[in-house]
Amino acid sequence: MTSPANHYFIITEKPEYYSLIKPGHICYISEQRFKRQSSSSKLPVFPVNTSSCLDYDIERKCLSDLPVKSAELLLALTDDAERLTWFREGVALQTALGLTPGTVVMVQAGEEELRGTIRYIGRLQKSHNPLSATFFGVELQGTDRGKGDNDGCYRNETLFSCARDCGVFVPFSRVRPVVPSSLSPSVPEPQPQGEKLSSGDRVTYYTSNKAAHGMVVDVLEMEGQQFVRISTDMDEHGKMGGELRVPLECVVKGEVLAEAEGMNVDEPPSEQYKDDLYTSLTVNSVVEVTLAKGNAYGIIRWIGNLAEKEEIMAGLELESDRGVSDGTFKSKRYFTCPPKRALFVKLVSCRPDSRFQSSSAYRSEKMLKLDDTEDVDEMDLSSGKLETVPPISTEQVKEILIGQMKGIQGHCNSCYMDAALFSLFSCSSVLDSMLFKSTAPEDAPIQKTLLRDIVNPLRSKGFVEGKHIMKLRQQLQKHGYSRSFTTDEKDPEEFLMVIMHHILSLEPLLKLSAGGEVQESYCYQIFLDQNHSLVLPTVQQLLEHSFHGAGLKLAEVPSCLILQMPRFGKKFKMFDKIIPSLELDITDLLSEGSLQCMLCGTVAEVQCTDCFKDPVFSQTGFKVFCRTCSSQVHCHPQRQSHQPSALDVPEGFLGRLPPQTLTRDKLELFAVLCIETSHYVSFIKHGPSSEDWIFFDSMADREGETDGFNIPEVRSCPEVGTYLEMSRSELAREVPRDMKGVAKRLFCDAYMYLYQSTSMCIYR
């Protein structure tokens, strides 16, 4: 059992004089001794898993603090260099900390990935060392059964039970969850050292029962008391700020509130007060909300709680027919208005109507007039309010986005982040709620950078300088989410998971039902059975085959669905081409609700998984039937062995529901991220026409050499629509290198598809 009395480190730089101690090695010191010597430039540490009984004086700069559970996971890697690489990468280690027995995972076995379920997490054998390596015991399942090397026993000790050759024991580096529900454990370990204020930090300070914002100039000590010298955003009269000294105990790192007045200095800011920005909104307030296709305006007619919703909701009567009802929600009336004028949203999603606020109008006008050399930070942001600019509409794309030095400027391996941010925010608002939700004080500057320095300039000017992306990367690295955010290549899903989960604590976008249990995630990796027959698949087919093979269902309609295309490992594509599905019909993938018989159109009562791959039926859609059609289908000799299963039909639907009232739930495609030779680009579907496509490359060209800069480009690519209108046989005959324009990149290099629900996104 691991002793809790030790403090652990990993060597990140080669120490002087000690050839035995190499970077990547884990070492420790007693917690009591560490507390006495934590301020020393060297620490006497003992290496783990060596025959030496001596301690070594290692310089503090060569050591990185390591929580116990992280040390146990890393110790399972025998090579020091490999251990250091995985430590610096960070995300896989944090993911592993959140894994539990019962989690469905993929196990890397050479070039092959095996599917299984975690049955055991812990040490493999007893050890006299102060630290024991943690391994994952996985039971292989499905077509991968029999590809293991044990039955859950290790050296005659049974750690879990499974069939012969169906078990494997592997380190965390070879395991990843099929549904990546989180990047960290629910209760993170405390970090050994807290952050201190330093020059340039944004802070909130409290004086005379009021809170205000500013930037740290330096920290002083006078007569035994510490003070912070702050360059303030504004003075007590609301004018341009100056400098003042504030006691250290009255300063909080980060911008806690937008505008806080009447707060007692002696009381720390509460979670409730973070939402005070919205408490001024009442019934009959004139407000605006950002929807998938621009801003909508209306009047609050009702405020309260809805069934199954913990947050305070608002019922809006809109100016135009962009709503979903006449004041009812799930058959219950909350207020009355004309049809398609009522919309129910979270109260925090509402903002005062900017058309009636002169300051907002001035701000938007000034933002639109900024030239390429003006920095957004130099604008009048002293009010502290987080304004928004609506997504770029189809009519505005040509004027705002098309051309060179447009989009987001790439710099130093940033293409994964550039492509992801451009895809999410240029022409869609499906995830705009993450820009305004309450967040922890230490993470507020990251949220502010994302909105003020990246999203707003992108939508208003069509261009974001590379320095703002680097600022965001530096903030992420400084917060400890990864030690290589500013230098290394990464994948878009890693960045998105850090932003959505760690920084903004966004509610998981995806809820999957598997065997009666609901699993949550932010994106979905498509996996296929080895015996699939797909050659030139659509995204619809890939998703359905993946759900069919894994036995998954959607617990609810997602507002945003992020799909990762199937690949062999991280480098090799599974298909030469993938056909984009402009709409995803997810009706058959939902765990609840009624379905139509695929033959006669009445309410379906059974589903046959054996018929799913039957070539007689259509290539898409689950095979569901009414009982009459099912009997007829399965009287055929080739289908008599099939075993249809009963569907859970809502009470009252059978015999009374007219077929035409059964609607289909669909998601629309709004962006695709593609990768070729480690470089990410993106395609945006910005309008209803087949020609409404644009292509973005953050590093399309370059000016100068090492001291030069990248030139981003956004270009129209109507040729994509031409290929989408081809038949499957015509598309199969197309040679990739001969495809016009950039169409080859979309069909052959797709990495991640982004879909949105235009109806559900307003409730998120």
Side-chain angles (χ1 to χ4, degrees):
M1 183 175 179
T2 301
S3 171
N6 294 326
H7 193 101
Y8 291 89
F9 304 92
I10 185 170
I11 306 292
T12 54
E13 296 181 26
K14 189 174 186 341
E16 291 184 307
Y17 311 121
Y18 301 119
S19 59
L20 178 66
I21 308 298
K22 299 178 180 179
H25 211 94
I26 295 175
C27 54
Y28 68 96
I29 184 176
S30 71
E31 195 68 58
Q32 185 177 9
R33 194 174 185 183
F34 173 71
K35 290 178 180 179
R36 293 197 308 265
Q37 299 182 253
S38 59
S39 60
S40 302
S41 60
K42 292 185 178 182
L43 289 176
V45 296
F46 292 89
V48 174
N49 282 4
T50 66
S51 58
S52 174
C53 297
L54 303 175
D55 59 11
Y56 297 82
D57 287 333
I58 306 294
E59 292 184 344
R60 191 67 174 87
K61 68 177 184 179
C62 298
L63 303 171
S64 286
D65 297 285
L66 201 59
V68 175
K69 292 189 178 298
S70 298
E72 292 173 330
L73 289 170
L74 288 166
L75 197 61
L77 304 176
T78 56
D79 183 73
D80 289 336
E82 181 186 13
R83 187 183 298 126
L84 182 60
T85 298
W86 284 99
F87 168 74
R88 285 175 169 164
E89 190 273 341
V91 173
L93 182 61
Q94 291 300 312
T95 300
L97 289 167
L99 297 178
T100 58
T103 301
V104 180
V105 295
M106 300 301 295
V107 179
Q108 193 73 38
E111 291 296 325
E112 188 178 13
E113 284 193 321
L114 309 178
R115 188 184 184 92
T117 301
I118 295 177
R119 300 301 185 196
Y120 172 80
I121 302 176
R123 52 105 187 139
L124 294 186
Q125 55 187 346
K126 294 180 180 179
S127 171
H128 298 293
N129 289 308
L131 197 70
S132 295
T134 293
F135 287 82
F136 291 84
V138 179
E139 179 183 0
L140 302 180
Q141 296 178 331
T143 57
D144 294 323
R145 289 175 60 83
K147 296 182 179 180
D149 55 15
N150 62 69
D151 59 356
C153 295
Y154 185 83
R155 294 188 178 179
N156 298 321
E157 181 181 3
T158 300
L159 301 179
F160 69 94
S161 297
C162 67
R164 182 179 177 181
D165 292 335
C166 288
V168 291
F169 291 101
V170 291
F172 78 94
S173 59
R174 291 173 55 193
V175 173
R176 61 182 177 84
V178 171
V179 181
S181 58
S182 66
L183 289 178
S184 65
S186 55
V187 183
E189 296 186 57
Q191 296 302 308
Q193 293 181 329
E195 290 187 343
K196 297 181 180 180
L197 292 179
S198 57
S199 298
D201 286 340
R202 294 288 298 173
V203 293
T204 302
Y205 62 94
Y206 304 89
T207 59
S208 302
N209 296 331
K210 293 184 179 181
H213 301 137
M215 183 178 70
V216 174
V217 178
D218 57 18
V219 180
L220 312 171
E221 184 167 346
M222 302 172 59
E223 299 180 355
Q225 185 177 1
Q226 286 188 309
F227 291 84
V228 182
R229 188 155 63 100
I230 298 174
S231 175
T232 65
D233 289 350
M234 66 176 69
D235 62 18
E236 65 271 23
H237 303 296
K239 304 297 183 182
M240 187 63 70
E243 283 193 4
L244 54 77
R245 291 176 183 172
V246 181
L248 180 61
E249 59 267 24
C250 297
V251 179
V252 177
K253 191 171 184 178
E255 297 191 6
V256 179
L257 308 170
E259 284 184 314
E261 293 192 6
M263 175 178 277
N264 193 311
V265 175
D266 296 329
E267 298 176 357
S270 65
E271 287 294 321
Q272 179 181 356
Y273 203 89
K274 291 180 182 178
D275 292 327
D276 280 357
L277 174 63
Y278 311 100
T279 58
S280 61
L281 299 178
T282 61
V283 173
N284 294 326
S285 290
V286 182
V287 297
E288 67 180 71
V289 291
T290 302
L291 306 183
K293 296 183 179 180
N295 284 2
Y297 305 91
I299 300 174
I300 296 180
R301 296 303 189 193
W302 172 87
I303 295 176
N305 293 102
L306 294 174
E308 303 176 2
K309 301 287 184 183
E310 296 181 358
E311 303 87 350
I312 297 178
M313 306 293 288
L316 310 182
E317 179 180 350
L318 302 180
E319 292 180 351
S320 56
D321 295 345
R322 300 181 65 183
V324 294
S325 74
D326 61 352
T328 60
F329 182 81
K330 291 189 175 180
S331 302
K332 182 178 179 180
R333 181 165 298 282
Y334 291 89
F335 63 94
T336 301
C337 69
K340 295 186 179 181
R341 292 288 184 93
L343 193 64
F344 291 88
V345 299
K346 293 179 182 179
L347 183 60
V348 297
S349 298
C350 300
R351 305 179 300 280
D353 192 327
S354 60
R355 298 174 299 175
F356 303 104
Q357 299 179 24
S358 59
S359 61
S360 296
Y362 169 76
R363 175 187 175 84
S364 298
E365 181 181 359
K366 183 172 183 180
M367 182 174 287
L368 289 170
K369 291 181 179 179
L370 285 174
D371 59 37
D372 289 342
T373 61
E374 186 172 357
D375 189 353
V376 177
D377 286 337
E378 296 170 0
M379 295 166 54
D380 181 14
L381 300 171
S382 58
S383 66
K385 292 183 179 178
L386 295 178
E387 302 287 350
T388 183
V389 178
I392 299 170
S393 65
T394 300
E395 295 74 22
Q396 296 173 312
V397 164
K398 184 175 181 180
E399 176 186 354
I400 297 178
L401 271 183
I402 301 299
Q404 288 197 328
M405 292 306 285
K406 290 292 186 178
I408 299 174
Q409 186 180 34
H411 176 64
C412 190
N413 296 324
S414 68
C415 62
Y416 70 95
M417 190 177 293
D418 307 329
L421 291 171
F422 188 86
S423 298
L424 281 179
F425 296 112
S426 60
C427 298
S428 173
S429 62
V430 66
L431 290 181
D432 273 19
S433 60
M434 64 192 277
L435 303 173
F436 300 97
K437 72 183 300 293
S438 298
T439 189
E442 63 271 19
D443 292 329
I446 295 179
Q447 184 186 43
K448 191 170 184 179
T449 296
L450 189 60
L451 172 63
R452 188 182 68 179
D453 297 339
I454 298 173
V455 176
N456 280 352
L458 175 62
R459 291 174 174 178
S460 60
K461 299 189 298 177
F463 176 66
V464 179
E465 290 185 71
K467 67 178 183 180
H468 297 306
I469 299 298
M470 180 54 74
K471 176 182 176 182
L472 178 63
R473 297 166 76 186
Q474 289 170 340
Q475 288 175 319
L476 294 173
Q477 182 165 300
K478 183 178 179 182
H479 277 56
Y481 297 113
S482 175
R483 289 168 173 78
S484 55
F485 255 121
T486 59
T487 56
D488 294 357
E489 296 177 356
K490 295 189 178 297
D491 295 323
E493 66 270 20
E494 177 182 343
F495 163 64
L496 293 177
M497 292 279 280
V498 168
I499 284 287
M500 292 190 288
H501 175 71
H502 276 301
I503 305 295
L504 301 177
S505 300
L506 194 68
E507 182 181 347
L509 303 175
L510 189 60
K511 295 185 179 180
L512 298 174
S513 176
E517 297 184 359
V518 174
Q519 305 176 50
E520 296 181 335
S521 178
Y522 293 91
C523 59
Y524 180 73
Q525 171 71 64
I526 290 178
F527 294 101
L528 299 177
D529 291 337
Q530 292 181 343
N531 59 349
H532 72 82
S533 58
L534 299 175
V535 178
L536 181 58
T538 64
V539 177
Q540 179 83 41
Q541 289 178 301
L542 292 174
L543 182 61
E544 289 176 349
H545 276 71
S546 183
F547 269 47
H548 176 266
L552 296 174
K553 288 281 189 176
L554 290 170
E556 64 182 29
V557 178
S559 60
C560 180
L561 178 60
I562 302 176
L563 297 177
Q564 293 175 249
M565 294 299 99
R567 306 178 80 85
F568 289 121
K570 291 186 177 182
K571 298 181 179 179
F572 304 104
K573 297 181 293 185
M574 186 174 288
F575 299 99
D576 292 333
K577 297 190 190 81
I578 294 175
I579 302 175
S581 298
L582 300 184
E583 283 189 332
L584 275 186
D585 189 335
I586 60 170
T587 309
D588 295 349
L589 304 182
L590 293 169
S591 61
E592 296 182 357
S594 59
L595 302 175
Q596 287 178 290
C597 172
M598 63 175 298
L599 297 180
C600 70
T602 58
V603 177
E605 300 175 65
V606 297
Q607 174 176 320
C608 183
T609 56
D610 298 309
C611 286
F612 178 76
K613 297 181 180 179
D614 194 319
V616 171
F617 300 109
S618 64
Q619 295 182 338
T620 59
F622 281 14
K623 307 308 179 271
V624 294
F625 311 95
C626 65
R627 292 199 179 276
T628 301
C629 291
S630 178
S631 299
Q632 294 174 350
V633 166
H634 292 100
C635 69
H636 191 284
Q638 292 183 355
R639 304 188 194 96
Q640 289 179 356
S641 61
H642 292 190
Q643 297 181 339
S645 57
L647 293 171
D648 185 13
V649 181
E651 185 178 354
F653 272 45
L654 288 175
R656 294 197 304 155
L657 185 67
Q660 60 268 25
T661 64
L662 290 172
T663 58
R664 310 291 294 181
D665 288 293
K666 297 182 179 181
L667 306 178
E668 68 175 28
L669 176 67
F670 70 94
V672 184
L673 274 73
C674 302
I675 183 173
E676 184 182 36
T677 60
S678 299
H679 181 63
Y680 288 96
V681 296
S682 64
F683 289 82
I684 307 297
K685 183 73 169 70
H686 60 83
S689 170
S690 62
E691 296 184 350
D692 290 338
W693 286 89
I694 55 176
F695 171 76
F696 165 65
D697 186 348
S698 65
M699 304 176 183
D701 201 353
R702 185 168 180 83
E703 180 73 26
E705 299 299 329
T706 56
D707 59 344
F709 57 90
N710 290 313
I711 300 175
E713 181 181 19
V714 180
R715 56 191 287 191
S716 177
C717 49
E719 65 272 14
V720 168
T722 302
Y723 291 100
L724 287 174
E725 293 173 353
M726 287 183 177
S727 67
R728 186 167 298 198
S729 59
E730 289 176 317
L731 190 58
R733 289 194 295 269
E734 286 290 327
V735 179
R737 66 173 178 270
D738 296 334
M739 296 178 77
K740 296 179 181 178
V742 292
K744 176 260 179 185
R745 305 290 299 274
L746 176 63
F747 285 87
C748 302
D749 301 329
Y751 181 85
M752 179 181 286
Y753 275 77
L754 280 68
Y755 288 86
Q756 64 184 359
S757 168
T758 55
S759 58
M760 289 303 298
C761 66
I762 59 181
Y763 298 106
R764 301 297 182 185

